[in-house]
Amino acid sequence: MVSQVPPESTQQAVGYPSLFLLVTLGSLVPVVPTGALVSSAAVVAFHQTDPLALLFVFAVASCAAFLGDIALYWLGRRGVRSRKGSRWLEALRRRAPQARLANAQEQLDQHSKSVLVLSRLVPAGRIPVMLACLLGEMPLRRFARGDIPACLAWAAAYQLIGILGGSLFDEPWKGVVVAVALTLLVSGAPAAWRRLRTRSGSPAPR
């Protein structure tokens, strides 16, 4: 007996809440590949008959990313204000190499809003910039104003990857494979480039 694909209403009832929860969790604990999740959801939405499916994916992903960022920033601010710090602040410090943190602090002083937007688009750029904002004691409201366009741009970028993958094949699962591969390639390319330059003896670009 061949298993049938669940109807679109079931996919949406399960998919949107799952996407929201996983992206929020991935923003709080940066181990979940949130970009791949958004791209995969965009592939599925691309093949659905609902004309608003892609819009829903974009709205859910950007809202979840914003909520996760704000929650993580609030937790980090509690650590900055506390004499004993916090495990959230220490986790951010461990994920932000000193050189990248110093560069983020320098760029943040000059172009605060644009740096926040780019930090979401550049792989592994979000945590150093967020930590720089925390150490610079940027108010939560100011961080939130800069994080809104950052999350919108991030969701749009990874959704475009999903649309590209979905447009190549008639079967959604093939598009998901391509979208995930493209997402992992985009995410891993900067780190691989830095390792190659380090091995060749050239200083890594700032």
Side-chain angles (χ1 to χ4, degrees), residues 45 65 72 93 112 123 125 138-139 141 157 159 169 171 189-190:
L72 183 58
R93 289 182 184 275
S112 58
M138 179 182 289
R141 287 187 179 182
Q159 182 160 340
F169 301 99
E171 298 180 5

Side-chain angles (χ1 to χ4, degrees), residues 35-69:
L37 290 172
V38 175
S39 297
S40 300
V43 171
V44 176
F46 180 81
H47 287 279
Q48 292 182 343
T49 57
D50 186 354
L52 298 179
L54 285 171
L55 179 61
F56 287 149
V57 170
F58 173 76
V60 169
S62 55
C63 288
F66 178 74
L67 177 62
D69 282 357

Side-chain angles (χ1 to χ4, degrees), residues 1 11 26 50 52-53 64 69-70 75 90 95 116 127 132 152 160 175:
M1 181 177 179
Q11 295 179 26
D50 186 354
L52 298 179
D69 282 357
I70 294 302
L75 291 168
E90 291 305 315
R95 292 181 175 274
L116 278 172
I127 297 303
L152 293 175
L160 286 175

Side-chain angles (χ1 to χ4, degrees), residues 56-201:
F56 287 149
V57 170
F58 173 76
V60 169
S62 55
C63 288
F66 178 74
L67 177 62
D69 282 357
I70 294 302
L72 183 58
Y73 195 78
W74 180 78
L75 291 168
R77 276 176 60 86
R78 291 186 63 186
V80 171
R81 292 175 176 178
S82 173
R83 293 181 179 180
K84 297 181 179 180
S86 71
R87 63 186 183 90
W88 292 98
L89 183 60
E90 291 305 315
L92 290 175
R93 289 182 184 275
R94 289 195 299 268
R95 292 181 175 274
Q98 191 60 40
R100 300 191 67 183
L101 175 60
N103 186 43
Q105 290 173 320
E106 180 182 345
Q107 296 297 323
L108 197 63
D109 291 338
Q110 301 174 4
H111 314 284
S112 58
K113 184 170 289 188
S114 60
V115 170
L116 278 172
V117 175
L118 289 175
S119 71
R120 260 282 178 186
L121 297 176
V122 175
R126 181 175 69 103
I127 297 303
V129 171
M130 181 180 289
L131 182 57
C133 293
L134 287 169
L135 297 180
E137 298 185 355
M138 179 182 289
L140 180 60
R141 287 187 179 182
R142 184 181 171 192
F143 176 82
R145 287 197 299 268
D147 197 52
I148 290 174
C151 291
L152 293 175
W154 172 82
Y158 281 100
Q159 182 160 340
L160 286 175
I161 294 177
I163 293 174
L164 174 61
S167 64
L168 296 176
F169 301 99
D170 293 331
E171 298 180 5
W173 71 268
K174 294 181 180 179
V176 169
V177 171
V178 172
V180 170
L182 287 174
T183 301
L184 294 177
L185 180 63
V186 170
S187 301
W193 175 249
R194 285 194 297 269
R195 284 196 296 268
L196 286 174
R197 289 185 64 88
T198 301
R199 290 177 181 177
S200 65

